[in-house]
Each structure stands twice: as C-alpha cells, then as structure tokens.
Amino acid sequence: EEVTMDQCDRKAPTHADMEACAVPKAWMHHLLLQGTPMDGKTFDLCNKSIKSLSTNFPGAMPDKLVVTLLLRALHQTLPNFSKENTLLGTSFCPDEISNEKGDLPNLLYEEFGKTFHLGGLAGIPFTGKTGFKAFASHVPTNGNVLIVYGPHVAISPDGEVG
C-alpha cells in the first residue's frame, strides 16, 4: 500500500495516515519530493533512518532548511548583510557524497556564488594561520565573514550510525 505526504495534509486523516505522518515531514520532503508516493518497504526504511537521525542528532535539519534559516538569521542580526559583502568560508568533509547537488556545501555555493575552502577532513578547518590570513584578505571592505563547517555520517537503512 502506498503512503503519500499528501495524506498527511488531509483535514481528517485516517489512523493509518496519522501513523505514517509520524515521520517528520521536513525530512520526508527532503528525501522524497513532496507528494511522491512510496511503497511500504521504502517508507519503513526511511522511517527507521529518520528516527535514528532524530534520536542521535536532535535538532538536525535538512540542508535546504538550514540555508533558509541561516539567511533569515543573517538578515535579522546583521543590518548590512548582503551576499555581495559576505565572504563564505567552508570546511566540510571532502567526501564526494557530501558535495553533491542539493547538499549543504552546494546549496551555500549557489546562494553566495563564491566560497573560500578552508580544508576539512571531518569538517575541521586545516588551513592554518597562513590560510586564514589569505581568507581574511578576500573579505570585502566593511564586509562580513561566514564560516560554515561540519562532518558527515551515514545512517544505515536499519538506523545504525557510522
């Protein structure tokens, strides 16, 4: 039996729909396009992974949501913030799976158009003093610096983190 995210939006969902909607909608939308049907097996696998993600990394958000909230916070807290006067520095794990279209590094690049890569095995900047001096020399006059970093982990279909 197929379950769609559209069933979650019904005014009077069935009990089965409510059970299916226990999966956080933001994550399901991130994994599968809104309204895309999935069979029960796929749903169960996604549900296990999302439950593990929520348990092991409380507060974790899909990449697009992170970018949306980041931009909102920057506009609210920095009166002179613009993408043109901000230099983005990133330090993400260089693994190819972390740098695919739709992933956080890619989405940030699409938003800011320029990125200074600070290294990043396990998401830790390893550029050193010289690298940070080079980074600082590229900051626009009276501009802003934004550094975003982080590792990645995998979650198996059974919900194991590794």
Side-chain angles (χ1 to χ4, degrees):
E1 180 175 300
E2 291 184 348
V3 178
T4 68
M5 290 309 294
D6 291 333
Q7 290 168 303
C8 296
D9 297 326
R10 288 187 195 166
K11 288 187 179 187
T14 66
H15 177 70
D17 292 342
M18 287 175 24
E19 196 172 302
C21 296
V23 176
K25 286 174 65 173
W27 280 109
M28 196 55 76
H29 289 171
H30 179 71
L31 295 171
L32 306 163
L33 297 175
Q34 183 176 356
T36 301
M38 36 177 166
D39 61 35
K41 182 178 179 183
T42 303
F43 181 83
D44 288 342
L45 291 174
C46 291
N47 196 22
K48 284 180 187 176
S49 296
I50 292 170
K51 283 182 180 179
S52 175
L53 177 73
S54 299
T55 299
N56 292 293
F57 304 99
M61 295 178 271
D63 298 344
K64 286 183 181 180
L65 182 56
V66 169
V67 173
T68 299
L69 294 175
L70 172 66
L71 292 172
R72 182 184 302 160
L74 290 170
H75 283 289
Q76 289 175 350
T77 58
L78 299 172
N80 72 333
F81 170 77
S82 73
K83 296 172 189 175
E84 294 74 32
N85 74 356
T86 302
L87 179 60
L88 172 66
T90 62
S91 183
F92 293 106
C93 186
D95 193 323
E96 74 279 358
I97 199 164
S98 299
N99 292 285
E100 296 176 343
K101 185 161 181 60
D103 289 341
L104 187 57
N106 182 266
L107 293 171
L108 289 167
Y109 177 78
E110 288 176 2
E111 282 295 327
F112 287 88
K114 58 187 180 294
T115 303
F116 193 99
H117 299 281
L118 300 166
L121 284 177
I124 300 168
F126 58 76
T127 192
K129 288 180 184 180
T130 304
F132 271 100
K133 284 181 182 178
F135 173 60
S137 74
H138 292 272
V139 177
T141 304
N142 298 318
N144 303 298
V145 169
L146 173 63
I147 298 177
V148 184
Y149 63 95
H152 79 274
V153 298
I155 298 177
S156 77
D158 290 325
E160 292 181 58
V161 177

